Amino acid sequence: LPDGPVLVVDIGGGSTEIVLGVGGRVVERVSLEVGSVRLTEAFLGGADVPHDAAALARLRNHVDVEMQRLRMDPLPRMVIAVAGTVTTLATMTLGLTSYDHERVHGSRLTRADLASHIDRLLRVTPAERRRLVPAGADRADFLVAGATILDRALEMSRRSHVVVSDRGLRFGLLAPPGSV
């Protein structure tokens, strides 16, 4: 990890948790009710319907408003994202047909990658979305919303990419004091 502030983003189905820390100290933390499933149902018409650009614009605006609850001071030097939405997007970016921890963990997702995934998934039918996401097809219907959440967090933090971690809370709980 770099010296200085780090932002961690955990996108879930119902909410997104965001923590800004410096060293071992939490500077800011917030839980936002902008999860990938919640937003898909509220703005994109649900999982089993085609999505459209106007609905995506309303979703993006809603996420921007919610993100204003996070005070991004100081600005992070690095953004790390965790959870299934992010690892599925990384799997797609890497062109994998099955999940590979060694390649996904530590990989990067750029805002350009996210925009490409959003554009491609927005234009297709639900069945085509699931075919485009062979590793994690069960998440395919919620990736437009999840990628949008991540993009907006990157925009707010003024970072161009996120580092993907497939590690979760259990890894932090198991780490001996002083080792992290």
Side-chain angles (χ1 to χ4, degrees):
L1 295 175
D3 291 333
V6 174
L7 187 73
V8 177
V9 180
D10 180 351
I11 300 170
S15 64
T16 296
E17 279 56 59
I18 301 176
V19 178
L20 177 65
V22 178
R25 185 174 58 93
V26 172
V27 175
E28 180 77 12
R29 68 176 177 255
V30 66
S31 179
L32 305 173
E33 292 189 8
V34 290
S36 59
V37 174
R38 179 188 303 254
L39 293 181
T40 298
E41 291 172 351
F43 291 93
L44 300 177
D48 292 322
V49 298
H51 304 324
D52 66 71
L56 177 62
R58 289 188 299 274
L59 183 154
R60 185 179 289 126
N61 183 62
H62 177 75
V63 173
D64 285 345
V65 168
E66 289 296 311
M67 290 270 182
Q68 295 307 310
R69 292 184 41 210
L70 177 65
R71 192 175 43 87
M72 196 76 68
D73 183 28
L75 283 173
R77 294 191 62 203
M78 175 185 275
V79 178
I80 299 171
V82 300
T85 293
V86 174
T87 58
T88 301
L89 289 164
T91 298
M92 290 173 62
T93 299
L94 294 166
L96 304 175
T97 56
S98 63
Y99 187 78
D100 181 348
H101 156 78
E102 295 296 325
R103 296 200 46 209
V104 169
H105 184 70
S107 66
R108 293 177 179 219
L109 284 171
T110 67
R111 290 192 69 205
D113 294 328
L114 296 171
S116 175
H117 293 316
I118 290 167
D119 184 54
R120 195 167 74 185
L121 293 169
L122 187 68
R123 295 182 282 123
V124 299
T125 67
E128 290 169 321
R129 272 196 305 265
R130 293 175 198 123
R131 280 193 296 275
L132 287 172
V133 187
D138 56 322
R139 296 182 180 277
D141 295 322
F142 310 107
L143 287 179
V144 169
T148 301
I149 295 165
L150 188 55
D151 175 70
R152 303 324 294 156
L154 285 170
E155 168 71 19
M156 187 173 183
S157 65
R158 299 187 188 144
R159 305 308 303 166
S160 63
H161 70 275
V162 61
V163 176
V164 177
S165 174
D166 75 348
R167 307 301 164 102
L169 178 61
R170 69 184 186 277
F171 289 93
L173 291 173
L174 295 174
S179 69
V180 207

